[in-house]
Amino acid sequence: MDETGLAQANEIGMALVRLNRATACMAAQSAKLGLDKTSFTLLATLAHTGPLRSSALAEAVHSDPSTISRQVAQLVKDGLVERTADPVDGRATLLAATDSGRELFLRHRDRRNEMIASMVSDWPPEDRRQFATLLHRFVGAYEEHMPGLIAELVDYARSGVEK
């Protein structure tokens, strides 16, 4: 990549750092109200996709099944997610958002949408449409490159351990 491309990538990267800081702050405040970011991500995924096996849920959120088990247990305990038998394979369990879980997800989603709409309300409609298009494109590319980026991080961590 040329210097201009790297400079633009740096601008994007620094904007992402700022966005991550802001979302971490919002996530911390939300956690104080009883729903942490990871749990909400799991609930939102189930509300959006419908019932999933635990392994499919972990894959959908780019996580390890053992990592999400604690959050799922808490969501079940809180009555936001339920476990049901898989109709295809009765030995397997499906996770599904309950009515309360879907209601909570919809309230959070509506609030988020109102907040975002307010933030960009003075943007011309074409700018909002273009931003949404480009952001979807960027997120898709990021997700596509994630396996390679994770592999590089693992290799880097291992090389540090070996020294």
Side-chain angles (χ1 to χ4, degrees), residues 8-65:
Q8 291 167 334
N10 185 58
E11 287 182 44
I12 293 167
M14 293 309 295
L16 289 173
V17 167
R18 290 177 48 216
L19 180 60
N20 283 335
R21 270 197 316 259
T23 56
C25 180
M26 290 295 294
Q29 294 304 312
S30 294
K32 289 178 185 177
L33 299 174
L35 192 62
D36 65 79
K37 182 179 176 180
T38 302
S39 296
F40 183 75
T41 299
L42 297 174
L43 179 60
T45 301
L46 291 171
H48 181 72
T49 64
L52 292 172
R53 288 185 179 187
S54 182
S55 58
L57 177 59
E59 186 177 316
V61 299
H62 308 292
S63 189
D64 185 80

Side-chain angles (χ1 to χ4, degrees), residues 78 108 149:
D78 292 342
H108 277 267
L149 295 170

Side-chain angles (χ1 to χ4, degrees), residues 104-122:
L104 178 64
F105 162 71
L106 292 172
R107 270 199 327 268
H108 277 267
R109 186 202 60 194
D110 291 348
R111 183 108 195 258
R112 178 206 62 203
N113 291 350
E114 289 167 6
M115 183 181 71
I116 292 170
S118 174
M119 288 188 296
V120 298
S121 64
D122 61 340

